Amino acid sequence: MFGSLAIGCVMIGFSFNPVSAFRSGAFLTLTMVLALMWKATTAGTKNPKHTEVWLYLDEKSRPADGPARRVFGTIMSDVYKLYARIALGVAVGFFLVSVVLMLFGLEAYRPPSK
């Protein structure tokens, strides 16, 4: 959620030019997709005790043995992949909106030349 908040703030910063706002949103959301995919790839190797989820689990729900830790890593990987797919859809949506805006005649921001 904090990544989405930051992306939203950048897009609001570019609100003077909607094409640039949606392009920057698409690029930053794609960057978030890469981070989520990296987390999904490495989730199986992480010690569950070093995750934020561990803090929210009560003592009975925490994985104790090897197989339970592997299941924990698999579930974390699946969750990261789910959110990466959602973020990818949002990035594609942002990009498509920027293309449609360009087709309607809006241009991307270009700084004035000297």
Side-chain angles (χ1 to χ4, degrees):
M1 278 315 277
F2 289 118
S4 299
L5 177 65
I7 292 167
C9 288
V10 169
M11 289 178 70
I12 288 172
F14 280 112
S15 64
F16 63 90
N17 187 301
V19 173
S20 294
F22 283 103
R23 270 194 199 165
S24 64
F27 175 76
L28 292 172
T29 305
L30 283 175
T31 305
M32 187 166 63
V33 169
L34 289 174
L36 287 168
M37 290 306 295
W38 174 258
K39 296 282 279 182
T41 304
T42 60
T45 62
K46 299 282 184 194
N47 184 349
K49 290 181 181 180
H50 298 140
T51 64
E52 187 177 357
V53 175
W54 184 267
L55 299 173
Y56 296 122
L57 294 174
D58 58 358
E59 287 292 326
K60 296 179 290 188
S61 301
R62 292 180 177 170
D65 57 350
R69 288 175 185 243
R70 281 192 294 279
V71 169
F72 184 85
T74 302
I75 291 171
M76 290 297 295
S77 177
D78 290 345
V79 169
Y80 284 130
K81 288 175 187 176
L82 171 68
Y83 284 105
R85 282 193 300 271
I86 293 169
L88 182 60
V90 170
V92 169
F94 285 160
F95 181 71
L96 289 175
V97 169
S98 74
V99 168
V100 168
L101 290 174
M102 286 180 59
L103 291 174
F104 280 113
L106 291 174
E107 293 184 15
Y109 175 74
R110 291 191 182 110
S113 59
K114 294 181 181 181

